[in-house]
Amino acid sequence: MISAFILGFAGSFHCVGMCGPIALTLPVHHLQGYKKMAGILLYNAGRITTYALMGMVFGWLGKQLWLGGLQQWLSVAVGSLVLLFVLLKYTGNRWTKGIHLPDSITALIKHPLGTLLRRQQFSTLYAIGMLNGLLPCGLVYLGIAGAIASGDVWKGAMFMALFGAGTMPAMIAVTWFSHLLSIRIRNRIRSLVPVVAGIMGILLIMRGLNLGIPYISPVMSAGSETVVHSCCHKP
């Protein structure tokens, strides 16, 4: 689970580039002290809520595959897709630029989001954060991959929640201080994204290979649990 937080933190300066304009238009900049911080936290809580709900949905999807006895293949497949994404995305492959949700779907998110931002009301911050969390983002897709591989509803939710928590320091900073860190420092931290994603992909593949390495590649127990269950009910 620590990989989820690290992935979010390493990619948080990517989030600043993508979601920074939204953060800079939040109705909190006229506030002072704890009221401003409360508004920023409310907005980020909305984002993390959306991520956690997405984690529950995709964790449930992963669980169905686990129950079907596909847990090993699932872990290897998801890990391979993560590595493929990293190789294509961060080696300048133009093909990845076409990976996005249909415009009709993003419009359903952007229209109400724009309406809430124009209201400039403190009460809309949580909803703004929730809608912001639905915007298409390659980094979020990596988090979803981890949630699917968790094979559990609550573990998926926790994975995505920790991923969102990892993005919070940078998102809070960009809202509170417009230019807290230099572009050079931001780029250095952002360069960690493919490294962390690559490590996550390798770990997922190793996990599915049943190498018997504690914590890293433990033997999948779903199959053995099925055998035990069958033996216990053998006439």
Side-chain angles (χ1 to χ4, degrees):
M1 287 295 177
I2 189 65
S3 62
F5 183 87
I6 295 175
L7 178 65
F9 181 78
S12 59
F13 291 97
H14 166 80
C15 295
V16 169
M18 295 292 292
C19 304
I22 294 176
L24 293 174
T25 58
L26 293 175
V28 298
H29 299 287
H30 63 288
L31 302 175
Q32 300 294 327
Y34 74 91
K35 288 185 178 180
K36 183 175 182 179
M37 180 56 70
I40 294 172
L41 292 176
L42 193 60
Y43 160 73
N44 282 282
R47 287 193 311 111
I48 293 176
T49 298
T50 294
Y51 293 153
L53 291 174
M54 292 169 65
M56 291 180 69
V57 172
F58 287 99
W60 175 86
L61 176 62
K63 184 176 182 179
Q64 306 316 302
L65 296 174
W66 274 64
L67 293 176
L70 301 174
Q71 62 269 35
Q72 284 182 251
W73 293 109
L74 171 64
S75 191
V76 172
V78 171
S80 298
L81 286 174
V82 169
L83 288 180
L84 179 62
F85 178 84
V86 170
L87 289 173
L88 294 177
K89 177 72 174 179
Y90 295 99
T91 56
N93 192 294
R94 295 181 180 180
W95 178 77
T96 57
K97 295 180 180 180
I99 301 178
H100 57 78
L101 293 177
D103 292 339
S104 58
I105 296 179
T106 56
L108 292 175
I109 302 171
K110 290 181 179 179
H111 178 69
L113 180 59
T115 300
L116 291 176
L117 285 170
R118 285 191 293 272
R119 288 182 186 176
Q120 289 293 296
Q121 296 177 353
F122 187 91
S123 59
T124 63
L125 284 167
Y126 185 76
I128 289 173
M130 289 195 70
L131 288 172
N132 191 176
L134 291 172
L135 290 175
C137 172
L139 194 68
V140 174
Y141 299 156
L142 290 176
I144 287 174
I148 293 174
S150 72
D152 182 84
V153 173
W154 298 113
K155 286 182 180 179
M158 180 63 70
F159 188 95
M160 289 297 288
L162 287 173
F163 163 80
T167 67
M168 279 189 66
M171 294 304 296
I172 290 175
V174 76
T175 310
W176 191 276
F177 305 104
S178 299
H179 305 288
L180 179 66
L181 297 174
S182 68
I183 294 177
R184 182 181 179 184
I185 294 176
R186 279 182 280 174
N187 286 337
R188 283 187 176 180
I189 298 178
R190 187 163 54 186
S191 67
L192 293 174
V193 176
V195 176
V196 175
I199 291 174
M200 186 177 80
I202 292 171
L203 288 175
L204 287 173
I205 292 173
M206 292 180 66
R207 179 185 177 192
L209 293 177
N210 273 11
L211 300 177
I213 304 174
Y215 304 107
I216 296 177
S217 183
V219 176
M220 298 286 185
S221 58
S224 59
E225 287 175 0
T226 302
V227 173
V228 172
H229 180 77
S230 299
C231 291
C232 291
H233 290 79
K234 185 177 181 179

